[in-house]
Amino acid sequence: MAKAVFEDSSPWLEVIKSGIKDFYSFSCDMAQQFFAYLQTFENIPSGDLIVTQFERDAVPYVAFIKLNYKEAYTHAMDHSIESNQIIKHKSIFPESTSKIQEAAIINLETLNILLLNIHKEKYVHTLLGCTAPLSTKQKINVVEKVIAEAIEENFENKIEALSFAKSNLAKSIESTSSIMIEDVLHDTFGDREEIINVCMDTLEEQGITEEAIELQQAYKVGKKYTTHKLKTNTGIEIKLPVQILNDPDAVEIITNPNGTVEVRLKNIEALISK
């Protein structure tokens, strides 16, 4: 489950913040809201909604769990003719080992939310009016994407620039166990402040406002930035250390007048077949 917080515009924020005085009415309102979303998004499966209040370590919570139906065969007894028939039932609860797709646990003191929203529509976020902070992995992916898009728009030799950016990411991780965002951008784009400013604005729009992304497994994350993989349209794959890719005496990538590309590996002392 992911952590989430209510947005200021959430229709449920004031109701929960002021205390749930009538739990029955609250649960009915929640069920009606879910039903409305089921009608809006046709591919959301039907199911039973459980709404509950409980305490844990003297902290009050309210929670809901949606149990999606599945099709399964079961038996139906017809007492009038004393027969037992096998039928396909469309409203069978999932097995106890099945994963729940939609659920939320709301701390009534802090208003923090533990949210499970793995359905592809991601409609529970909208229903509750909440936002889930980006995970570390998601933040890294956003930083990579923003840098890659900036390189795509502003650099002629995109492969070399991407490799250089990777080496800067690896350097930041190795020295600080984190991704120092502005440092990586300045190392990659130099004095081209307009590109750096666009990247920073885009990152902020994507929810990344911190100066550094702290990493729990810095070595593992940094390792993926030490190599750069090239793949041709003919299926050839080349995996190169980024420091070699940035060394013109080791690798040269040439764009021919006809638009084709050549990759030249230089000063190789031996080839090993694997």
Side-chain angles (χ1 to χ4, degrees):
M1 300 185 82
K3 294 180 180 179
V5 293
F6 284 108
E7 298 172 349
D8 291 338
S9 59
S10 169
W12 299 99
L13 179 59
E14 286 305 318
V15 175
I16 295 173
K17 198 174 183 180
S18 60
I20 301 171
K21 298 177 179 62
D22 185 345
F23 178 74
Y24 176 75
S25 297
F26 171 80
S27 62
C28 289
D29 290 343
M30 180 68 73
Q32 288 173 356
Q33 190 69 37
F34 264 89
F35 183 67
Y37 272 74
L38 290 177
Q39 293 178 309
T40 303
F41 301 102
E42 295 181 356
N43 62 342
I44 295 177
S46 300
D48 275 20
L49 183 70
I50 298 173
V51 184
T52 181
Q53 271 186 311
F54 64 94
E55 285 191 3
R56 183 176 181 181
D57 298 329
V59 178
Y61 292 86
V62 65
F64 69 79
I65 302 171
K66 181 165 170 278
L67 301 176
N68 293 332
Y69 298 144
K70 69 165 191 173
E71 281 192 4
Y73 287 96
T74 185
H75 62 266
M77 187 69 180
D78 189 339
H79 294 284
S80 63
I81 57 175
E82 294 186 352
S83 69
N84 198 8
Q85 297 180 335
I86 296 175
I87 62 169
K88 181 186 282 188
H89 204 295
K90 295 186 177 182
S91 301
I92 300 293
F93 282 142
E95 295 92 347
S96 59
T97 55
S98 297
K99 291 183 178 179
I100 302 298
Q101 289 193 321
E102 299 108 80
I105 302 173
I106 304 167
N107 185 317
L108 296 180
E109 289 186 353
T110 64
L111 300 181
N112 291 331
I113 307 169
L114 284 176
L115 188 66
L116 185 62
N117 189 22
I118 63 176
H119 191 278
K120 65 180 180 180
E121 291 289 355
K122 300 294 183 188
Y123 71 98
V124 182
H125 282 86
T126 308
L127 187 152
L128 288 178
C130 65
T131 303
L134 296 174
S135 66
T136 299
K137 184 177 180 180
Q138 289 173 322
K139 290 177 183 177
I140 294 171
N141 289 340
V142 170
V143 170
E144 290 177 354
K145 184 179 179 182
V146 168
I147 291 175
E149 288 177 350
I151 289 172
E152 182 70 28
E153 293 176 6
N154 296 282
F155 286 77
E156 193 170 318
N157 193 331
K158 298 173 178 55
I159 294 174
E160 184 178 300
L162 279 171
S163 175
F164 187 49
K166 279 189 173 185
S167 66
N168 291 328
L169 285 163
K171 182 176 69 175
S172 178
I173 293 169
E174 183 180 1
S175 59
T176 67
S177 295
S178 65
I179 296 176
M180 303 296 294
I181 296 174
E182 282 199 56
D183 289 350
V184 171
L185 292 177
H186 280 286
D187 289 345
T188 301
F189 301 117
D191 58 359
R192 299 181 68 172
E193 291 293 334
E194 71 282 359
I195 299 178
I196 295 170
N197 291 335
V198 169
C199 288
M200 292 297 293
D201 290 343
T202 305
L203 289 170
E204 187 173 351
E205 290 172 3
Q206 296 291 324
I208 300 176
T209 57
E210 58 265 54
E211 293 181 356
I213 300 173
E214 302 294 336
L215 305 174
Q216 295 295 321
Q217 297 177 305
Y219 173 77
K220 184 178 179 181
V221 176
K223 190 175 180 182
K224 75 172 186 173
Y225 297 117
T226 60
T227 59
H228 193 98
K229 184 182 288 186
L230 304 177
K231 186 175 181 179
T232 71
N233 64 308
T234 56
I236 299 172
E237 292 188 9
I238 307 173
K239 188 176 181 181
L240 298 168
V242 291
Q243 66 268 25
I244 290 180
L245 193 53
N246 290 310
D247 182 358
D249 293 328
V251 179
E252 188 177 5
I253 299 174
I254 303 169
T255 301
N256 297 317
N258 63 358
T260 60
V261 177
E262 294 181 17
V263 179
R264 296 180 183 177
L265 306 180
K266 305 176 181 179
N267 301 313
I268 298 173
E269 295 182 1
L271 285 175
I272 302 171
S273 180
K274 289 189 175 182

